[in-house]
Amino acid sequence: MVLYNPKDWWRLIFAFHKSDTFRRTFPGIVGVAIYTGLINYLEKEVLQVEFANTLNIHSLVGFVLSLLLVFRTNSAYERWWEGRKIWGSFVNNSRNLALKIDAIITNQNVKTIFSILISNYILASKDHLQNKANSQLLRTSEKYPSEYYASFKHLPNVVAKAMYREVQELKENGSLTDEQLLYLNLELKSFTDNIGACERIKKTPIPFSYNIFIKKVIFLYVFTMPIGFVQTFDYWAMPIVALIFYIFSSIELIAEEIEDPFGDDANDLPINDIYQTIKANVTEILE
């Protein structure tokens, strides 16, 4: 995620970050401008055709396309914001579980095990959502060595299983009462609820037909626009059509990027930083 000062207008206007849509669409912008110039030459110099009221149709279609893109962007941002709320819940629940364990349990070895497991769960969830699951990155202990995590299909579940096992052992040896077990269960359950909610976002993209329809409409809108625009604007239609292509394609690119907010793109959620925050907080509380 890119960190920036939203009040620094001039720097933001003239900055060209590697994720900026202008960089990504620049070849297309140049291509559209050249295409518009070619259409102008053919209409004015070769075919010598004239059209009347050529802007009306594109004005109407542009209004409809704008509504579609607004809905598309809002849907993508809603997924991004829901993902941020879920990871905020990860932060709160990790702290709450660590604080409760610290208050209830007196055995420092048990506290250390929970510190390791809570941090491991967040790391496993982060890597799982980024398709980078690697058990070798998890912290190990004598009770849960690397071999425990080696054979897995869903790494967060393996870590959650260990936390539930620890709680059950504490209950069986009398270190937890029934009330305290219920007291801890809320946070334990929330971990699985959160990863399930993230998976729902990640594995449920915008419907294919809707996605491809918008791209087709943008393509048809932009590549038919020069036919009429050159009659009114002559060669000035080249920067005008290129600008419109940049605006519409950029909106679609931004929506594509933020609809899956758990990756490594510049506009994705800072889940790496969130993991480091959780790890530091839990370690401070329990170790």
Side-chain angles (χ1 to χ4, degrees):
M1 185 176 185
V2 177
L3 301 178
Y4 65 97
N5 179 8
K7 298 180 180 179
D8 193 352
W9 277 55
W10 294 110
R11 185 175 180 181
L12 293 175
I13 291 171
F14 294 104
F16 293 98
H17 189 268
K18 65 180 180 179
S19 67
D20 190 90
T21 54
F22 182 79
R23 285 178 178 266
R24 298 163 64 185
T25 59
F26 183 74
I29 293 172
V30 174
V32 167
I34 295 173
Y35 167 76
T36 304
L38 179 61
I39 292 295
N40 185 75
Y41 175 77
L42 290 175
E43 285 190 17
K44 295 293 186 67
E45 305 298 334
V46 179
L47 301 176
Q48 297 182 352
V49 295
E50 297 288 341
F51 299 107
N53 298 323
T54 55
L55 302 183
N56 292 341
I57 295 177
H58 279 87
S59 296
L60 294 174
V61 175
F63 175 73
V64 175
L65 179 58
S66 298
L67 293 179
L68 287 173
L69 289 174
V70 167
F71 176 76
R72 173 83 167 94
T73 306
N74 287 344
S75 298
Y77 180 77
E78 184 178 352
R79 294 160 62 89
W80 186 92
W81 182 240
E82 183 179 2
R84 183 61 186 89
K85 290 192 291 185
I86 293 169
W87 274 83
S89 177
F90 268 132
V91 174
N92 296 337
N93 293 331
S94 298
R95 291 170 176 168
N96 284 332
L97 180 58
L99 290 168
K100 289 178 180 181
I101 292 294
D102 184 62
I104 295 172
I105 306 301
T106 57
N107 188 321
Q108 183 58 45
N109 289 332
V110 174
K111 292 183 180 182
T112 301
I113 289 175
F114 269 101
S115 174
I116 293 172
L117 291 176
I118 294 171
S119 299
N120 280 352
Y121 189 87
I122 304 303
L123 176 60
S125 298
K126 176 184 75 69
D127 290 345
H128 172 70
L129 293 172
Q130 295 180 337
N131 300 317
K132 299 177 181 177
N134 184 357
S135 61
Q136 299 300 316
L137 299 177
L138 301 180
R139 294 175 63 191
T140 59
S141 62
E142 182 178 349
K143 194 170 185 180
Y144 299 102
S146 58
E147 291 77 16
Y148 174 80
Y149 303 106
S151 300
F152 68 91
K153 293 183 179 179
H154 192 285
L155 192 54
N157 281 348
V158 176
V159 183
K161 180 180 177 180
M163 285 195 285
Y164 273 104
R165 179 184 295 177
E166 287 298 314
V167 170
Q168 182 61 28
E169 288 181 3
L170 291 172
K171 175 65 176 63
E172 290 175 354
N173 64 29
S175 298
L176 285 179
T177 64
D178 291 337
E179 292 78 7
Q180 289 171 334
L181 181 62
L182 293 174
Y183 186 56
L184 295 177
N185 185 61
L186 293 175
E187 270 66 41
L188 292 173
K189 178 177 178 294
S190 71
F191 286 125
T192 304
D193 291 342
N194 285 342
I195 192 63
C198 290
E199 290 173 341
R200 171 174 51 79
I201 294 173
K202 184 176 180 63
K203 296 181 179 180
T204 311
I206 299 297
F208 174 76
S209 296
Y210 179 74
N211 199 335
I212 197 171
F213 174 74
I214 291 180
K215 289 177 171 59
K216 287 180 177 179
V217 172
I218 292 175
F219 177 84
L220 291 173
Y221 182 80
V222 172
F223 279 84
T224 58
M225 184 179 292
I227 297 173
F229 271 45
V230 297
Q231 295 291 324
T232 303
F233 299 109
D234 202 65
Y235 281 103
W236 282 104
M238 294 175 64
I240 294 173
V241 176
L243 176 62
I244 293 173
F245 168 77
Y246 166 67
I247 293 171
F248 283 160
S249 61
S250 294
I251 293 173
E252 175 64 13
L253 285 174
I254 292 170
E256 287 178 357
E257 186 171 314
I258 67 174
E259 70 182 4
D260 180 6
F262 308 118
D264 293 323
D265 294 327
N267 292 308
D268 286 335
L269 295 172
I271 58 178
N272 294 321
D273 294 339
I274 295 174
Y275 158 67
Q276 294 296 338
T277 298
I278 293 174
K279 181 181 178 182
N281 292 164
V282 171
T283 300
E284 182 181 19
I285 294 170
L286 292 176
E287 296 185 40

